[in-house]
Amino acid sequence: MSSENSSADDPSADGVRDDAQRVWDVVVVGAGPAGASAAYAAAVAGRRVLLLEKAELPRYKTCGGGIIGPSRDSLPPGFELPFRDRVHAVTFSNNGRFTRTRRSKQMLFGLINRPEFDQQLVEHAQKAGAELRTGVTVQRVEQHGSAVPDRRTVAVLLQGGETLLARAVVGADGSASRIGAHVGVKLDQVDLGLEAEIPVPETVAEDWKGRVLIDWGPMPGSYGWVFPKGDTLTVGVISARGEGAATKRYLEDFVGRLGLAGFEPSVSSGHLTRCRADDSPLSRGRVLVCGDAAGLLEPWTREGISFALRSGRLAGEWAVRIAEAHDAVDTRRQALNYAFAIKAGLGVEMSVGKRLLTAFERRPGLFHAALTGFRPAWNAFKEITQGSTSLGELVRGRPMAQRALAALDPRPAERGVDTGGEATS
């Protein structure tokens, strides 16, 4: 898709001959699920969209790779999921003990490798008209100063000195986001995930086919997982940051008791997940953030793919409206509408997730007993993973779930997460 502005449409384009000085409608920083979704949503609306990614694609990402119902339902039309396995059974254990497997006739969720999945999302954005540039590092964005020709423009400054201009910017550059720092994102919860991709013989792979393991760990709020992907098992653990040595021991013990210590991992990696504070902003001027850059993920499970896809789509849609805004009042109105859209959906789920995490930290054994021995709890787990309900809908619509949450976490019920408006410049 051509990204040229005519001078009739855009006075700032007069005399522009250099490609770097095009004024894009939307520039998206980061080509993960959130960024690719934002770029797709903006490009489908017919806008000039540039998608920037610092790595070369495809690239590895520390992630279990579980695709639950809300993720599946947020994909572009015609997207064919590159499943490595389809999960019909979950084995639960409590720090290696009291193991029990529960099964479902219908698929619970699918498992993907992130390099393939992310690459396909980017390709869909490109087919919709977005332009991709890889190997590009964004140093910062500016909304005032000499690099900005007018109040309707954001300057995106790249490493090496190049400056790009946009009517709106979407920050989807991960949990250590530079765009998030510009917006003023505040974090409430930071966790450390450690993961190993372990190639295994066919006999071992066959034993895990269609089944995942979830182990409630020894540190408060921690858990481990085994996700089978053909001839490779993705094995990982997660716990609160500050417990690095204990988290590493947990992973080593976990791998050992599974009988996998003799297999050499093809990849060993770590990653910090960051969850936003309730009053953290989602925008500043003409800049929005989504996905990990905004600290959007489910606090208990730390599931982030569905939050990235859903928030990315919303960010792309509202970035189009911000790009069309002619003054600061209209820009702020559209940014607040984006914040409200996040609050009404993902914010409610995060609020419930935070309460569940607090309860889980205190009583992991009760969660284990409920999921392995109490049919309504297992049914709720199935419905959430399959996408027929969400955490927010579950608690809002079912008195039993409301009573259970109140018993586990006796704090007054929250009405959702206050997403806040724009930060001041």
Side-chain angles (χ1 to χ4, degrees), residues 299-314:
W300 176 35
T301 63
R302 290 79 157 187
E303 190 278 321
I305 295 177
S306 76
F307 279 70
L309 291 169
R310 288 181 284 174
S311 66
R313 176 176 53 81
L314 291 170

Side-chain angles (χ1 to χ4, degrees), residues 152-222:
R152 290 189 58 211
T153 307
V154 181
V156 181
L157 283 71
L158 308 183
Q159 192 175 65
E162 184 179 357
T163 298
L164 304 172
L165 301 178
R167 294 294 181 218
V169 171
V170 176
D173 49 334
S175 60
S177 170
R178 292 186 179 183
I179 310 302
H182 172 81
V183 167
V185 173
K186 296 183 285 184
L187 304 172
D188 187 46
Q189 173 188 329
V190 183
D191 296 292
L192 170 64
L194 300 177
E195 192 170 78
E197 302 285 351
I198 305 178
V200 293
E202 185 177 348
T203 52
V204 177
E206 188 63 30
D207 181 54
W208 285 97
K209 187 175 181 180
R211 178 175 65 94
V212 301
L213 170 65
I214 297 176
D215 178 73
W216 314 119
M219 296 89 73
S222 67

Side-chain angles (χ1 to χ4, degrees), residues 252-370:
E252 292 170 350
D253 293 345
F254 187 44
V255 169
R257 68 172 180 251
L258 292 169
L260 301 173
F263 304 116
E264 186 69 23
S266 59
V267 179
S268 294
S269 62
H271 179 66
L272 291 176
T273 65
R274 296 174 168 92
C275 187
R276 68 190 298 273
D278 289 356
D279 61 347
S280 180
L282 290 164
S283 66
R284 176 177 173 179
R286 291 177 173 267
V287 179
L288 305 177
V289 286
C290 59
D292 285 344
L296 292 167
L297 74 161
E298 199 280 288
W300 176 35
T301 63
R302 290 79 157 187
E303 190 278 321
I305 295 177
S306 76
F307 279 70
L309 291 169
R310 288 181 284 174
S311 66
R313 176 176 53 81
L314 291 170
E317 292 171 354
W318 259 274
V320 167
R321 293 166 183 155
I322 287 174
E324 295 168 348
H326 287 280
D327 56 39
V329 172
D330 193 23
T331 299
R332 179 172 175 78
R333 181 186 304 115
Q334 301 303 336
L336 288 173
N337 285 338
Y338 168 64
F340 180 79
I342 294 291
K343 176 180 179 178
L346 301 181
V348 173
E349 292 180 37
M350 291 183 71
S351 177
V352 175
K354 286 182 180 182
R355 296 184 68 192
L356 283 171
L357 176 63
T358 299
F360 173 67
E361 288 172 338
R362 294 198 305 258
R363 306 182 73 180
L366 184 60
F367 277 73
H368 180 70

Side-chain angles (χ1 to χ4, degrees), residues 87-232:
V87 177
H88 287 80
V90 182
T91 298
F92 295 99
S93 61
N94 190 1
N95 199 18
R97 301 174 297 163
F98 311 116
T99 301
R100 183 175 178 186
T101 299
R102 305 213 63 160
R103 301 184 184 277
S104 170
K105 291 180 181 179
Q106 289 79 38
M107 185 181 80
L108 295 167
F109 56 94
L111 300 174
I112 51 90
N113 284 331
R114 281 290 301 275
E116 294 174 297
F117 179 71
D118 290 11
Q119 179 70 36
Q120 274 188 231
L121 284 171
V122 168
E123 288 170 0
H124 273 261
Q126 289 177 286
K127 288 175 185 175
E131 185 171 319
L132 171 70
R133 286 184 59 182
T134 60
V136 177
T137 298
V138 173
Q139 295 283 61
R140 66 186 185 277
V141 294
E142 293 183 0
Q143 301 193 65
H144 307 280
S146 59
V148 184
D150 59 62
R151 293 184 178 182
R152 290 189 58 211
T153 307
V154 181
V156 181
L157 283 71
L158 308 183
Q159 192 175 65
E162 184 179 357
T163 298
L164 304 172
L165 301 178
R167 294 294 181 218
V169 171
V170 176
D173 49 334
S175 60
S177 170
R178 292 186 179 183
I179 310 302
H182 172 81
V183 167
V185 173
K186 296 183 285 184
L187 304 172
D188 187 46
Q189 173 188 329
V190 183
D191 296 292
L192 170 64
L194 300 177
E195 192 170 78
E197 302 285 351
I198 305 178
V200 293
E202 185 177 348
T203 52
V204 177
E206 188 63 30
D207 181 54
W208 285 97
K209 187 175 181 180
R211 178 175 65 94
V212 301
L213 170 65
I214 297 176
D215 178 73
W216 314 119
M219 296 89 73
S222 67
Y223 74 96
W225 63 88
V226 179
F227 284 1
K229 299 171 185 174
D231 60 0
T232 299

